[in-house]
């Protein structure tokens, strides 16, 4: 029973990690007033270019850099449309997601061939002699990909930035009261641009985690709604990074149950297990978990003097 629980905790952390990375980046953008509904498309793009870079160079770290570069380009276009051109953020996000799905599917079939499952160079799991073999604790926490621990450092950096830096204060100001922030001398457009770029960076890490650190390959539409779950995690967490991480862990646990319960001999309808993380996300978005108060200016464009 103890070993089963350790495996479940390990699976939960692994499955939640891309959600945590993406949600922590999206949190910064939403706190600044910009909704990146394109998070799903960003993650899918990162997963593809991460796999392509790792496959082409044989170096997983270069694959991660390719993934981040690709999503930073998408984030820059998103910022241009949402911040400078004041386009509808929902429409822009949906458009990006459709484009990413079509483009990655086409490129995947052209480069790798239809239904290819060739394994690509990936990041290995952490193995600390003596510690990784500790009963329960070692299995649960010290047998993950190195990417998990590096990713947690980035998430901790996001938390510290929002809580302790002047930029974090500016992010919160332009997300709640952009006109007051502008009058106080805070550059609203630049702050929102940087916030969206941070989202792109973290989405790049999240997508490349899937293809390089988790399954070591790329498949069509491999994100399979992970970006939307990350968005729901931000809402479920009430735009607080600690609660957002908790929500992502909950979604990861719900996904892990799909594999854990059958292995334990517990017969639960497969459809119910597949639906569980999305049902939790729906409850979060619907506000069933409690009253939600998003940043006041979320999705609202800002134009000086109007």
């Amino acid at each position: 029973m103890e070993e089963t629980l350790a495996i479940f905790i390990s699976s939960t952390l692994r499955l939640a990690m891309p959600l945590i990375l993406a949600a922590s980046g999206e949190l910064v953008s939403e706190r600044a007033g910009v909704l990146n509904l394109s998070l799903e498309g960003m993650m899918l793009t990162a997963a593809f270019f991460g796999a392509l870079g790792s496959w082409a160079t044989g170096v997983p770290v270069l694959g991660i850099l390719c993934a981040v570069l690709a999503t930073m380009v998408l984030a820059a276009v998103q910022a241009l449309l949402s911040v400078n051109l004041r386009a509808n953020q929902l429409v822009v996000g949906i458009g990006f997601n459709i484009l990413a799905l079509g483009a990655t599917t086409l490129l995947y079939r052209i480069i790798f061939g239809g239904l290819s499952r060739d394994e690509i160079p990936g990041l290995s799991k952490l193995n600390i002699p003596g510690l990784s073999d500790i009963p329960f604790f070692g299995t649960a926490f010290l047998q993950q990909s190195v990417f998990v621990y590096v990713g947690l450092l980035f998430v901790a950096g996001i938390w510290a930035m929002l809580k302790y830096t002047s930029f974090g204060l500016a992010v919160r100001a332009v997300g709640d009261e952009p006109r007051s922030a502008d009058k106080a001398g805070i550059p609203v457009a630049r702050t929102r641009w940087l916030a969206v770029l941070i989202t792109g960076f973290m989405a790049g890490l999240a997508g490349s985690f899937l293809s390089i650190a988790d399954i070591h390959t790329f498949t069509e539409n491999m994100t399979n709604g992970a970006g939307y779950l990350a968005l729901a995690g931000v809402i479920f967490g009430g735009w607080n990074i600690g609660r957002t991480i908790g929500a992502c862990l909950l979604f990861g646990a719900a996904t892990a149950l799909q594999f854990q319960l059958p292995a334990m001999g517990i017969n639960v309808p497969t459809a119910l297990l597949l639906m569980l993380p999305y049902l939790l996300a729906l409850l979060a978005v619907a506000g069933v978990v409690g009253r939600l108060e998003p940043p006041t200016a979320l999705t609202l464009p800002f134009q000086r003097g109007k």
Side-chain angles (χ1 to χ4, degrees):
M1 183 64 183
E2 183 177 288
E3 184 67 17
T4 300
L5 178 59
I7 293 173
F8 173 69
I9 293 173
S10 177
S11 298
T12 295
L13 182 57
R14 175 178 59 84
L15 293 168
M17 197 62 219
L19 304 183
I20 292 172
L21 290 170
S24 61
E26 176 63 19
L27 175 66
V28 177
S29 180
E30 291 194 22
R31 290 296 297 266
V34 181
L35 172 66
N36 291 287
L37 196 62
S38 56
L39 198 59
E40 172 78 4
M42 287 184 179
M43 289 180 65
L44 183 58
T45 300
F48 173 77
F49 280 99
L52 179 61
S54 182
W55 170 76
T57 65
V59 182
V61 174
L62 291 180
I64 296 172
L65 292 177
C66 290
V68 170
L69 179 61
T71 51
M72 291 289 279
V73 171
L74 287 182
V77 177
Q78 167 93 39
L80 176 64
L81 293 173
S82 300
V83 178
N84 296 95
L85 300 181
R86 296 181 292 280
N88 186 296
Q89 295 173 16
L90 298 177
V91 174
V92 170
I94 292 172
F96 267 116
N97 290 340
I98 295 172
L99 175 63
L101 177 58
T104 55
T105 298
L106 176 62
L107 291 173
Y108 167 71
R109 293 182 180 181
I110 291 174
I111 297 173
F112 294 102
L115 302 180
S116 171
R117 294 295 185 272
D118 293 340
E119 185 170 321
I120 63 171
L123 296 175
S124 60
K125 291 185 178 181
L126 181 70
N127 185 13
I128 303 176
L131 294 180
S132 296
D133 298 325
I134 295 176
F136 186 79
F137 182 81
T139 302
F141 301 107
L142 296 179
Q143 294 183 11
Q144 301 285 346
S145 166
V146 175
F147 205 156
V148 169
Y149 309 102
V150 175
L152 290 174
L153 291 177
F154 278 108
V155 173
I158 294 285
W159 168 78
M161 178 198 69
L162 287 174
K163 188 174 180 64
Y164 295 112
T165 69
S166 58
F167 177 73
L169 178 62
V171 164
R172 298 195 298 272
V174 301
D176 287 325
E177 296 290 344
R179 303 200 183 285
S180 299
D182 181 59
K183 291 178 181 178
I186 297 175
V188 176
R190 187 175 70 182
T191 301
R192 287 184 169 180
W193 254 88
L194 290 173
V196 174
L197 290 177
I198 290 172
T199 301
F201 177 82
M202 296 301 289
L205 295 180
S208 60
F209 180 93
L210 292 172
S211 58
I212 294 177
D214 194 2
I215 65 173
H216 297 185
T217 191
F218 177 83
T219 59
E220 296 177 15
N221 192 28
M222 71 179 300
T223 49
N224 197 28
Y228 296 115
L229 284 179
L231 284 164
V234 176
I235 299 172
F236 202 163
W239 292 271
N240 173 277
I241 192 165
R243 292 197 293 268
T244 295
I245 292 172
C248 292
L249 287 171
L250 179 61
F251 295 156
T255 305
L257 285 176
Q258 297 175 21
F259 312 100
Q260 198 68 30
L261 291 181
M264 296 171 60
I266 301 176
N267 296 319
V268 178
T270 303
L272 177 61
L273 294 175
L274 291 172
M275 180 183 69
L276 186 56
Y278 301 98
L279 176 61
L280 292 174
L282 177 62
L283 294 176
V285 174
V288 175
V289 294
R291 185 178 179 182
L292 300 172
E293 296 184 1
T296 308
L298 182 61
T299 75
L300 300 180
F302 172 77
Q303 186 174 9
R304 175 175 284 183
K306 293 187 178 182

